Amino acid sequence: MADDVITLENVKIERDGGVTFIILNRPEKRNAMSPQLHMDMCDALDWAEMDDQTRVVIITGAGGNFCAGQDLKLYFRGTEDDPKLRVKARRAAHEWRWNRLSSFPKATIAMVHGYCFGGGFTPVIACDFAIAADNAVFGLSEVNWGVIPGGLVAWAVTNVLGYRDAIYYSVTGDQFTGKEAGAMKFVNKSVPLEKLREETMILARKLEAKSPAAVKYTKEALRSVRGLSKEQALDYLDAKHDALKLNDPEKGREKALKQFLDEKTFKPGLGEFKR
Ligand code: COA
């Protein structure tokens, strides 16, 4: 069972060992993202980044839904006559959903149940992993109310979906299920709803056991090489490899080599070294 750690106005943080749940917490509004929720999410991610105990972050929504997208009332209509609040909300919305999550130094998992619409896609894509309930409902619903998938949504979906699927779902606004999301690799996999938390925790525990420095550097390496040429990638990865060797406070590489080569107590091909 997770312990309550912090309750912000629109976000709740719970912790289960090294696994921290950051929970969008406006269940009565299907976790639609208000300006306050965006600001709370920035604070929650700050907290989880600095929290020594947190190894893995799971982003999810309260009340059986992930997120109904931007709050059409509070985010859009509510900021129409308040340009300063709009700027603040827009900045916070982009900051946590993309900037912070996509460069988060610890492993991140989106655990999706119920509805996930529009702007709710961005954090799912920005997380390292996503697991959905088979019956989750995803939709790029923007076209249904006469707008485009804004913020970074249109850009982000083309990073994870094939182009035909990205266009199809953006232009038709058709929904797709968690199961279909798994088949399209929009999420890593989908599982029956009653198994969602358990399956997500299995992945979280697996990530929790790895060297934190190796997880951080591996994530950074994969994200960064995507836009590079082969030559740039080789140079960058060599430098990254050396940087990890120098900066890992646990000196994991040395420990692991000793355990494999000298002590013969572990096999890197079959699991992680003893930290
Ligand atoms: N913005 C503002 N309010 C929202 C919202 C959103 N994106 N999504 C849900 N809500 C509010 C509803 O207005 C309602 O408020 P009320 O109780 O004060 O009337 C409450 O949340 C519950 O929503 P409701 O529509 O009654 O629940 P439902 O379970 O029948 O339907 C949805 C859920 C998500 C299918 C439906 O609310 C919906 O289509 N929301 C908009 C989704 C969307 O297109 N988001 C993209 C924005 S970019």
Side-chain angles (χ1 to χ4, degrees), residues 28-30 32 68-73 115 117-119 141-142 145:
E28 70 293 348
K29 300 291 180 191
R30 311 298 182 256
Q70 293 288 16
D71 189 306
L72 305 193
K73 185 170 170 190
Y115 292 122
F117 284 114
S141 52
E142 288 87 343
W145 59 285

Side-chain angles (χ1 to χ4, degrees), residues 70-145:
Q70 293 288 16
D71 189 306
L72 305 193
K73 185 170 170 190
L74 298 178
Y75 185 87
F76 288 110
R77 190 184 276 171
T79 60
E80 255 162 29
D81 300 325
D82 189 345
K84 288 184 183 161
L85 178 60
R86 169 59 72 91
V87 168
K88 261 179 89 174
R90 200 174 168 330
R91 187 181 295 151
H94 180 61
E95 183 61 22
W96 82 265
R97 286 181 308 159
W98 193 263
N99 288 349
R100 303 297 311 283
L101 267 182
S102 68
S103 62
F104 202 73
K106 305 171 184 183
T108 53
I109 307 172
M111 183 173 93
V112 184
H113 50 184
Y115 292 122
C116 175
F117 284 114
F121 273 51
T122 308
V124 175
I125 297 168
C127 280
D128 303 315
F129 307 92
I131 302 186
D134 289 337
N135 63 357
V137 176
F138 292 88
L140 290 165
S141 52
E142 288 87 343
V143 71
N144 291 341
W145 59 285

Side-chain angles (χ1 to χ4, degrees), residues 5 24 30 50 59 61-62 64 67 81 94 97 162-163 195 204 208 243 251 255:
V5 182
L24 280 60
R30 311 298 182 256
M50 299 305 154
I59 308 282
C67 173
D81 300 325
H94 180 61
R97 286 181 308 159
Y163 190 65
K195 293 258 176 206
E208 191 186 359
K251 297 286 169 226
K255 268 188 211 162

